[in-house]
Amino acid sequence: MSQPVIARQLFGPGPCNPYPEATAALGLPLLGHLDPEFIARMDRVAQGLRTLWGTNNARTLPLSATGSAGMEAAFVNTVTPGDVAVIAVNGLFGERMCEVAARVGAEVIRVDHEYGTPIDAERVAAAHPNPTVIAGVHAETSTGVVSDIAALGAIKGDALLITDAVTSIGGMPVLADEWGIDIGYAGTQKCIGVAPGLAPFTISDRAFERRVKKPTSWYLDLGLLGGYTTGGSGGGRTYHHTAPVAMVASLEAGIDRILAEGLDAVTTRHQDAGKSLQDGIQEMGLELFAQEGYRLPQLTTVKVPEGVDSAKVRGYLLDRFNIEIGGGVGQYANTVWRIGLMGPNANPASVALILSSLKEAIDKA
Ligand code: PLP
């Protein structure tokens, strides 16, 4: 099937519609990946990412891979066979962490939570006295729930804290240093408002010193990547892989866009849009899925009303309004909708559009 002529309005769990500046930057002339201008761009991007991550970590960089590769990088560089990984699971991406950690050979201790509820740090703390790593997802895209990562930082003891910030970064505060995050990975396609394909990544000095010295992945070996991306002003860079220069230019434009607006203003814009959408959904008589008090503004989960065909409604939105929303995950595939208001989509006009079109789709589909 050919690409639609009019761009889709992406209100699903991701990718979102990019910021126009990020799309425009994809068309810039390509630079060589070791060109001094590209290296300077990479330095600027790393600095911008430090702001988004709330960190001073020297080793903060966009991995040339998706968010899942960021997850792999986190685990292959920190655990070896037999190490204990305590993983909080309250959605699909916590489940994926368990799978990744198990493949690295970790002894995985899952701390399961009901989908739709946040991570309970006390239960995580009680799971094992001395794990190598503790891991959790800040913003669970599969359920629309935000968890308190600072609470995990407070109980981590000597363990390294791995945090998934794929859906939170660029849309809500992420304070890696203050919260005690040792390794964080994210994605570009959600609130940062850039196309999918890079994994903003950060690792503390403490975690870097304790890293696995020869991980099973060559590509994701942070010891090798460090030389490529953290040398500063062009010095000390060696070839590791050919960086996706167009995507890095796009990421730079996305970060510039966010920082020009201001992180506080961006957060408020996402909060306001999410609240209006969630209020509007409830005024329509629909129920929200995520537990009250822990609802992500940028990703709203809605219970599909009894007797309504989820797929038909989503199909109607796509055919009639060119709007994509997401279905649920796993056992909730047909009983939950996921509506994203990320990056440029977090605005009152999008809220009005999605509410009116969803209402029509439910009535007519
Ligand atoms: N973690 C979370 C919370 C996500 O939402 C996603 C993707 O939606 C991922 C990890 C995986 O990222 P990617 O699909 O870019 O590999």
Side-chain angles (χ1 to χ4, degrees):
M1 206 171 81
S2 64
Q3 183 82 5
V5 178
I6 302 170
R8 290 263 196 250
Q9 313 220 44
L10 297 171
F11 290 114
C16 76
N17 294 108
Y19 285 113
E21 295 86 343
T23 304
L26 283 173
L28 290 174
L30 292 182
L31 290 168
H33 68 115
L34 292 176
D35 186 305
E37 286 206 20
F38 177 70
I39 296 198
R41 170 168 289 152
M42 194 56 131
D43 286 342
R44 288 195 300 274
V45 166
Q47 194 49 38
L49 288 179
R50 284 184 196 102
T51 306
L52 296 194
W53 274 113
T55 186
N56 289 317
N57 288 341
R59 294 176 186 84
T60 302
L61 61 136
L63 295 183
S64 308
T66 73
S68 302
M71 186 188 290
E72 295 247 24
F75 285 100
V76 297
N77 284 281
T78 52
V79 290
T80 51
D83 287 345
V84 173
V86 171
I87 301 180
V89 179
N90 67 336
L92 174 78
F93 295 101
E95 306 260 1
R96 188 175 296 180
M97 282 180 162
C98 294
E99 175 68 22
V100 170
R103 287 189 189 206
V104 183
E107 182 193 329
V108 174
I109 300 182
R110 292 172 62 119
V111 184
D112 278 292
H113 299 69
E114 199 182 326
Y115 275 29
T117 66
I119 296 170
D120 177 344
E122 281 181 20
R123 289 189 47 222
V124 174
H128 192 276
N130 188 25
T132 304
V133 296
I134 288 177
V137 178
H138 184 207
E140 243 306 344
T141 331
S142 63
T143 61
V145 166
V146 61
S147 286
D148 182 355
I149 298 301
L152 287 182
I155 58 88
K156 73 178 181 180
D158 191 44
L160 297 174
L161 175 59
I162 295 175
T163 300
D164 177 320
V166 171
T167 286
S168 50
I169 198 166
M172 67 195 328
V174 178
L175 303 173
D177 291 355
E178 195 179 313
W179 296 349
I181 295 173
D182 291 287
I183 300 113
Y185 61 86
T188 40
Q189 71 269 35
K190 316 268 188 190
C191 300
I192 294 183
V194 175
L198 294 176
F201 192 89
T202 192
I203 178 167
S204 66
D205 287 348
R206 177 175 103 101
F208 189 73
E209 274 151 29
R210 274 167 56 173
R211 77 189 185 280
V212 177
K213 293 300 173 316
K214 205 164 184 185
T216 49
S217 170
W218 176 88
Y219 186 66
L220 297 174
D221 179 348
L222 293 173
L224 299 176
L225 276 167
Y228 183 70
T229 43
T230 59
S233 65
R237 297 307 220 288
T238 52
Y239 167 71
H240 172 271
H241 66 277
T242 308
V245 290
M247 273 302 293
V248 174
S250 186
L251 176 57
E252 182 183 33
I255 293 171
D256 283 352
R257 166 68 183 72
I258 290 171
L259 297 183
E261 184 176 349
L263 274 185
D264 288 347
V266 169
T267 297
T268 304
R269 179 162 57 76
H270 281 83
Q271 273 171 351
D272 291 349
K275 179 155 185 349
S276 309
L277 175 64
Q278 290 167 13
D279 287 350
I281 295 266
Q282 288 174 302
E283 278 157 24
M284 279 165 61
L286 303 182
E287 260 186 85
L288 299 173
F289 177 73
Q291 187 178 319
E292 195 175 356
Y294 299 92
R295 291 175 184 149
L296 287 170
Q298 65 271 44
L299 198 279
T300 295
T301 42
V302 184
K303 292 185 189 172
V304 177
E306 199 82 24
V308 170
D309 184 326
S310 165
K312 274 198 184 153
V313 168
R314 293 177 60 221
Y316 187 94
L317 288 172
L318 204 58
D319 292 347
R320 185 88 176 184
F321 297 110
N322 203 26
I323 287 176
E324 187 219 72
I325 67 165
V329 160
Q331 59 171 311
Y332 300 103
N334 299 315
T335 54
V336 167
W337 289 312
R338 293 182 300 152
I339 305 175
L341 290 174
M342 301 174 182
N345 280 351
N347 68 70
S350 296
V351 174
L353 174 67
I354 197 75
L355 283 172
S356 60
S357 41
L358 182 63
K359 185 167 184 332
E360 180 179 321
I362 291 172
D363 289 346
K364 301 207 174 149

